[in-house]
Amino acid sequence: MHSPAPLPTPYSSALKAAGRILPGLALCAGISALAFALEHLEAVATGRAWLEALVLAILIGTAIRTVWTPSELWRPGIAFSAKMVLEIAIALLGASLNVAMIIAAGPALLVGIAAVVSVALVSSFLLGRALGLPKRMATLVACGNSICGNSAIAAVAPVIGADGKDVAASIAFTAVLGVLVVLGLPLLVPLLSLSETQYGVLAGLTVYAVPQVLAATAPVAAASVQIGTLVKLVRVLMLGPVVLALSILGHRLREDQGEGGKHGAMPASRRVAVNKLVPWFIIAFLGMAALRSHGLVPEVALAPIAKTATVLTIISMAALGLGVDVRVVARAGGRVTAAVTLSLVALTAVSLGLILLLGIS
């Protein structure tokens, strides 16, 4: 009797990769299911869901991470959920983008976003330097706060030859404070009497990452989600010019550590992969929006696409929570904590100023 022929290498490799991803993905899906269930119980008990499943997934994931560190069995699936699942969700979200809202925003808002990012970059860097942070660390904090959190830090780090420990500390703070901003920002709606559009602009200008914008705006209104996502994507596109500028000025950032850098420093590079400047999911998001605007996405498909994007986003939020260790704040030091927090406050103040200046209502 002949033994079955082995699977071709591509299939066996795919099955092996799927097997590595499945445990962590299932864990994130399970947390998401629990978040949906708790949201439903809230609605039944109080008449409304005070905490959306998006936020609940982050909180549950963070609580689990605080008492348990995932082993290698779980990490590939958690990383897959935090990155690829999220990127697919963002791409799908493009089908729900209201193009009329983009047109209504006009060039003034787009110029204003660029101005806010520029002011935030300079003020964050100066705050970091005033608090005694090295130039490279201050640059990482400024870029992470002002543009797009981890993505900006990852893109800027090799350009300026950042120390590995500085990169790790910056990313850790982005994760922790990013969650705190998502949870706390909606409180400003009643405190400042913000409209749905105003809050969307504020969230898009201040929240670190695209998925966190979804989590921060979904509990408020669909209009806030749309305008917040638009503003955030414009902020992300600012990463290209910033990285280009830093690559030109990077030699000045080597003064703190010398040309060779400290042990563990990343080698400075003037070349950054295009996909780090404009990730594929942003292109896909804009492509889906273009298809929708030309009537190439059937109306009957819009609701299922939106629901799928929501479910995938919540799964990624669970992964985000599982990646947050609140204890890193205590270990990072007071100067870094103060620099990141104060620069975030400055960014919020500048963003509110732009909303008032443009008369956004």
Side-chain angles (χ1 to χ4, degrees):
M1 186 175 181
H2 296 290
S3 59
L7 290 171
T9 301
Y11 291 103
S12 58
S13 298
L15 287 174
K16 184 177 180 180
R20 294 179 66 243
I21 289 170
L22 189 57
L25 179 60
L27 174 61
C28 295
I31 293 173
S32 302
L34 177 58
F36 274 116
L38 290 176
E39 181 187 61
H40 178 69
L41 288 176
E42 280 185 87
V44 171
T46 67
R48 63 166 290 183
W50 296 93
L51 289 178
E52 302 281 337
L54 281 162
V55 177
L56 288 168
I58 297 175
L59 292 175
I60 296 169
T62 303
I64 292 174
R65 178 64 178 85
T66 301
V67 298
W68 172 68
T69 301
S71 66
E72 186 56 36
L73 173 67
W74 309 96
R75 289 174 192 162
I78 294 173
F80 178 83
S81 300
K83 180 173 172 58
M84 183 56 67
V85 170
L86 172 63
E87 292 174 352
I88 293 172
I90 294 169
L92 291 176
L93 188 68
S96 66
L97 187 65
N98 187 340
V99 178
M101 185 174 291
I102 299 177
I103 297 173
L109 178 58
L110 301 182
V111 172
I113 295 169
V116 167
V117 171
S118 301
V119 171
L121 276 170
V122 173
S123 61
S124 295
F125 178 80
L126 293 177
L127 277 170
R129 293 294 289 156
L131 290 167
L133 296 185
K135 288 182 179 178
R136 292 179 181 178
M137 183 62 174
T139 301
L140 292 177
V141 169
C143 291
N145 269 9
S146 306
I147 306 174
C148 53
N150 291 355
S151 299
I153 293 169
V156 167
V159 174
I160 64 175
D163 186 276
K165 291 182 180 180
D166 289 345
V167 174
S170 301
I171 288 178
F173 263 97
T174 298
V176 174
L177 286 184
V179 171
L180 294 178
V181 171
V182 166
L183 297 177
L185 200 64
L187 299 177
L188 294 181
V189 175
L191 287 176
L192 301 179
S193 299
L194 298 175
S195 69
E196 294 174 357
T197 301
Q198 288 174 329
Y199 178 71
V201 173
L202 178 64
L205 286 171
T206 55
V207 176
Y208 289 141
V210 175
Q212 293 173 344
V213 172
L214 303 183
T217 53
V220 177
S224 300
V225 174
Q226 292 181 1
I227 192 67
T229 302
L230 166 65
V231 171
K232 180 59 193 175
L233 289 178
V234 175
R235 271 178 75 199
V236 172
L237 293 176
M238 288 288 293
L239 182 58
V242 169
V243 171
L244 178 61
L246 287 175
S247 69
I248 295 171
L249 301 174
H251 65 281
R252 297 185 182 181
L253 297 171
R254 301 184 193 125
E255 294 174 3
D256 283 348
Q257 296 174 322
E259 193 68 30
K262 291 181 180 178
H263 176 70
M266 297 182 177
S269 171
R270 294 195 174 212
R271 300 181 63 186
V272 179
V274 173
N275 66 342
K276 285 191 176 294
L277 301 183
V278 186
W280 75 268
F281 61 89
I282 292 180
I283 297 173
F285 175 94
L286 296 174
M288 289 291 288
L291 291 175
R292 165 79 185 280
S293 67
H294 288 86
L296 298 178
V297 179
E299 288 293 326
V300 70
L302 293 178
I305 290 175
K307 183 64 176 177
T308 301
T310 297
V311 171
L312 293 179
T313 301
I314 292 173
I315 291 174
S316 68
M317 290 301 100
L320 174 65
L322 287 169
V324 173
D325 186 352
V326 295
R327 292 165 293 192
V328 299
V329 176
R331 296 198 296 263
R335 287 186 302 174
V336 179
T337 304
V340 176
T341 303
L342 289 175
S343 61
L344 180 59
V345 171
L347 175 60
T348 303
V350 172
S351 301
L352 288 171
L354 176 67
I355 291 171
L356 293 174
L357 179 65
L358 297 181
I360 297 172
S361 58

